[in-house]
Amino acid sequence: MFKNLTLRSTKRALTTSFGSICFGSILIAIIDTIKSLTKAESENDDLEVIIKTLNYCCNYVFSWIKNMVKYFNIYAFKEVVIYGKPYIQAAKNTWTLCKTDEMNALINDCMINTLFLFAYMSIDGLSAMITFITAILMDQNVDTVMIFTIFAVLIGMFIFNIFSQVIKSGITTTFVCL
């Protein structure tokens, strides 16, 4: 029953559920377009202060809506890909999941993000320390040591980001499937 789940989900995402994923993504594109229009209008110097203030408020509201839709889509897309549901049905199920489990998803994400923040800092500190000590032991000048240290921190951050995204995806999938 659980054989080749990742392969089957990937195939479903790229074939039969592709339209549902595009539909969910176009909602974000529409919000981005409206946000861009309000932002462009607020940069016009000929407008009154009240109009500019309203445009900035609209821009803020659309940014908030966009972030909420993106967060919501994470869970809806999991249902689309795993179960092969259309986007509207997956969105309704996700909304039901949010109502029944109240704030569990948000609390779950906050705990995971805090854990990953500490892990990022630890990995970056460890990378910097090891690179710094290695470069000093090799009798490198200070400029070279700093360049190596910065590159080590960036490489460590990128590598850990790959692993953390996989872990976050697994946690979100587990939340949706249970």
Side-chain angles (χ1 to χ4, degrees), residues 50-120:
I50 293 177
I51 303 290
K52 278 189 174 186
T53 305
L54 287 174
N55 278 338
Y56 284 124
C57 290
C58 287
N59 194 19
Y60 175 77
V61 167
F62 282 117
S63 295
W64 184 79
I65 291 171
K66 175 187 168 189
N67 289 335
M68 294 302 291
V69 170
K70 282 174 75 173
Y71 183 78
F72 185 80
N73 275 349
I74 291 170
Y75 294 97
F77 287 160
K78 299 286 185 202
E79 288 212 16
V80 167
V81 172
I82 293 171
Y83 299 119
K85 297 177 181 177
Y87 178 79
I88 299 295
Q89 183 182 357
K92 288 178 183 177
N93 290 349
T94 302
W95 183 249
T96 304
L97 179 70
C98 289
K99 288 193 315 188
T100 57
D101 284 346
E102 296 173 0
M103 299 297 286
N104 287 342
L106 189 60
I107 292 169
N108 188 25
D109 287 343
C110 288
M111 287 175 26
I112 294 301
N113 288 338
T114 303
L115 176 72
F116 283 147
L117 175 67
F118 287 122
Y120 272 120

Side-chain angles (χ1 to χ4, degrees), residues 142-157:
V142 176
D143 294 335
T144 308
V145 170
M146 293 308 292
I147 291 171
F148 284 154
T149 303
I150 290 170
F151 279 127
V153 166
L154 290 175
I155 290 170
M157 189 171 44

Side-chain angles (χ1 to χ4, degrees), residues 1-8:
M1 177 176 172
F2 297 115
K3 191 174 183 181
N4 298 325
L5 280 177
T6 305
L7 184 63
R8 287 188 301 174

